[in-house]
Amino acid sequence: MKVILIKDVKGKGKINDVIEVSDGYAKNYLIKEGIGIPTTPANLAKLNVVLSEQAAQAVANKATLEELKTALEQLTLNFKLKVHDNKTFGSISLTQIEYRLAKEFNLKVDKKKFLDNNNLTSFGLHYLKIKLAPNLIATLKVMIDKKES
């Protein structure tokens, strides 16, 4: 029996997938628990509408992410760290970078999107890679200078 999944099912498929399962599994588990619905012409038509809406939303999201990438790559964030005997005191965390982007530039970037999640502890220019989408990576420049005492 063919079933349209309403929720993800481990080992079977993801939401909106049409899968072939045994009649008993479909009737006694998937449909009964509200995880799937039978593939009727009406349900398939609804699925096509949902999939086309998701495709349109994906195109809109891609355009937004492209704009975010352009904005991030034009920025250089400046931070200052205290220094004593050419050693830094403290570090710049991804949380600080995330906060600064949101507060000063109104750019929302989750710190989990950074590919390198180490704190910045050395002076100079750092290039941080941010994974905005599976095939869209932006590079943010972060400059760390010495703080004069």
Side-chain angles (χ1 to χ4, degrees):
M1 173 179 223
K2 287 191 175 187
V3 177
I4 301 169
L5 294 178
I6 297 174
K7 299 179 183 173
D8 292 349
V9 178
K10 189 173 183 177
K12 297 293 180 187
K14 298 201 175 282
I15 190 169
N16 294 331
D17 283 353
V18 177
I19 61 169
E20 180 78 34
V21 293
S22 68
D23 290 350
Y25 182 67
K27 291 175 186 172
N28 297 326
Y29 178 67
L30 294 177
I31 296 170
K32 184 177 179 184
E33 296 294 323
I35 298 171
I37 55 175
T39 54
T40 63
N43 288 340
L44 287 173
K46 288 178 190 175
L47 176 64
N48 287 335
V49 169
V50 168
L51 292 177
S52 64
E53 287 173 356
Q54 286 178 348
Q57 184 68 32
V59 169
N61 285 345
K62 183 170 174 147
T64 304
L65 290 175
E66 288 286 348
E67 290 173 12
L68 179 60
K69 178 183 178 193
T70 303
L72 286 171
E73 290 184 342
Q74 291 174 352
L75 286 178
T76 301
L77 291 180
N78 293 307
F79 289 94
K80 292 189 183 279
L81 286 178
K82 291 183 181 179
V83 62
H84 180 69
D85 293 334
N86 270 348
K87 291 185 181 178
T88 60
F89 283 113
S91 63
I92 304 300
S93 69
L94 297 179
T95 304
Q96 290 172 294
I97 294 170
E98 177 187 18
Y99 176 79
R100 186 102 173 262
L101 286 170
K103 191 77 169 170
E104 293 180 21
F105 304 102
N106 201 23
L107 298 173
K108 305 231 184 301
V109 178
D110 186 8
K111 67 182 180 183
K112 295 175 187 170
K113 300 272 185 182
F114 286 86
L115 294 179
D116 183 18
N117 35 346
N118 296 327
N119 290 342
L120 304 177
T121 57
S122 61
F123 298 115
L125 187 61
H126 299 270
Y127 296 94
L128 300 178
K129 303 271 187 205
I130 304 169
K131 188 173 186 176
L132 301 173
N135 57 355
L136 187 64
I137 296 177
T139 303
L140 175 67
K141 295 182 284 268
V142 177
M143 182 67 179
I144 301 178
D145 292 320
K146 296 177 183 179
K147 185 183 240 182
E148 300 301 323
S149 305

